[in-house]
Amino acid sequence: GAGVSQSPSNKVTEKGKDVELRCDPISGHTALYWYRQSLGQGLEFLIYFQGNSAPDKSGLPSDRFSAERTGGSVSTLTIQRTQQEDSAVYLCASSFSGQGLSQTQYFGPGTRLLVL
Amino acid sequence: EDQVTQSPEALRLQEGESSSLNCSYTVSGLRGLFWYRQDPGKGPEFLFTLYSAGEEKEKERLKATLTKKESFLHITAPKPEDSATYLCAVQELATGFQKLVFGTGTRLLVSP
């Protein structure tokens, strides 16, 4: 079956511009996560959605970052007024549920963001 | 604060030369420990989940084991196609949801 998809695969933008990154999770998965992978660093949790509940935003690095999930499916991560330190690979993952017994998270291919 | 430390940072093996990768973790209570494989330019690919000390799982040339404070990924008779970055991640019981806390990975290169 189809895995997690993300778009665009690559994005180059100028400092100060806004960008939107999209994630389409595996069908039937209620939990969706965004992570960031910077060069030489491990994956860093950003935000978590469970169904239609309010998201856990505890990992967002600043108020320039926001995300939404429409209809409990597709999610968009928005970065406003991008800075060079925002350059990274942004990864989306989904799982059957985000609560209860441990669930495997399946990752998309990522969006490589470069801020010039 | 959760901490996951992987060693070595990089490992170079000859084809057929077995070795082990280490993942040390500190959490107040472990919900699960995950191993992923990541190829250049791709997202992490799930390999194993381990839940309790003493548990072992195998897949082809890979075997993952878990103790109370660390996990090992044993690679037996590796092939060049096993070259990748191997990521370890933990989920903590105290966290109300299942975010993964990752180590920085071990870059494995297997030469023919």
Side-chain angles (χ1 to χ4, degrees):
Chain A
V4 177
S5 60
Q6 293 186 245
S7 61
S9 54
N10 293 281
K11 177 72 176 179
V12 181
T13 190
E14 293 179 349
K15 178 181 174 181
K17 300 283 190 182
D18 298 352
V19 295
E20 286 189 352
L21 313 179
R22 176 189 167 105
C23 171
D24 202 339
I26 294 172
S27 178
H29 280 191
T30 62
L32 186 148
Y33 301 79
W34 283 97
Y35 294 86
R36 177 169 72 175
Q37 186 172 33
S38 303
L39 196 62
Q41 297 186 13
L43 277 78
E44 170 193 17
F45 165 76
L46 297 176
I47 189 169
Y48 156 72
F49 293 90
Q50 173 61 49
N52 293 316
S53 302
D56 187 296
K57 307 178 182 180
S58 59
L60 294 179
S62 78
D63 58 9
R64 295 187 295 105
F65 288 72
S66 63
E68 63 177 18
R69 189 178 184 192
T70 54
S73 182
V74 171
S75 176
T76 302
L77 177 69
T78 301
I79 309 174
Q80 296 179 308
R81 304 181 302 282
T82 53
Q83 303 295 313
Q84 290 181 330
E85 60 262 29
D86 299 334
S87 297
V89 177
Y90 290 83
L91 290 156
C92 175
S94 71
S95 65
F96 184 73
S97 172
Q99 298 170 325
L101 295 177
S102 182
Q103 301 283 341
T104 298
Q105 293 180 27
Y106 296 92
F107 284 81
T111 293
R112 283 147 195 82
L113 174 66
L114 178 62
V115 182
L116 300 176
Chain B
E1 179 78 19
D2 295 347
Q3 185 170 356
V4 180
T5 303
Q6 292 189 245
S7 61
E9 290 186 4
L11 180 63
R12 187 164 188 161
L13 300 174
Q14 290 294 121
E15 184 172 2
E17 179 186 2
S18 302
S19 189
S20 296
L21 313 181
N22 178 263
C23 172
S24 298
Y25 63 92
T26 53
V27 295
S28 56
L30 183 68
R31 184 191 297 263
L33 184 141
F34 295 75
W35 283 99
Y36 286 84
R37 167 191 171 129
Q38 187 173 28
D39 292 296
K42 296 189 176 181
E45 175 189 346
F46 171 72
L47 294 173
F48 303 108
T49 310
L50 301 168
Y51 299 103
S52 57
E55 189 174 1
E56 299 182 352
K57 289 192 176 174
E58 288 188 67
K59 179 181 179 181
E60 296 182 354
R61 295 176 294 281
L62 300 177
K63 178 180 176 180
T65 62
L66 182 66
T67 71
K68 287 185 178 179
K69 290 300 177 186
E70 55 189 355
S71 177
F72 293 92
L73 185 65
H74 306 278
I75 304 177
T76 302
K79 298 182 177 182
E81 53 262 43
D82 295 323
S83 298
T85 295
Y86 290 85
L87 300 172
C88 172
V90 299
Q91 288 178 347
E92 187 183 15
L93 274 173
T95 306
F97 61 99
Q98 298 182 12
K99 74 172 185 180
L100 292 169
V101 178
F102 282 87
T104 53
T106 293
R107 297 188 311 278
L108 174 65
L109 178 62
V110 182
S111 302

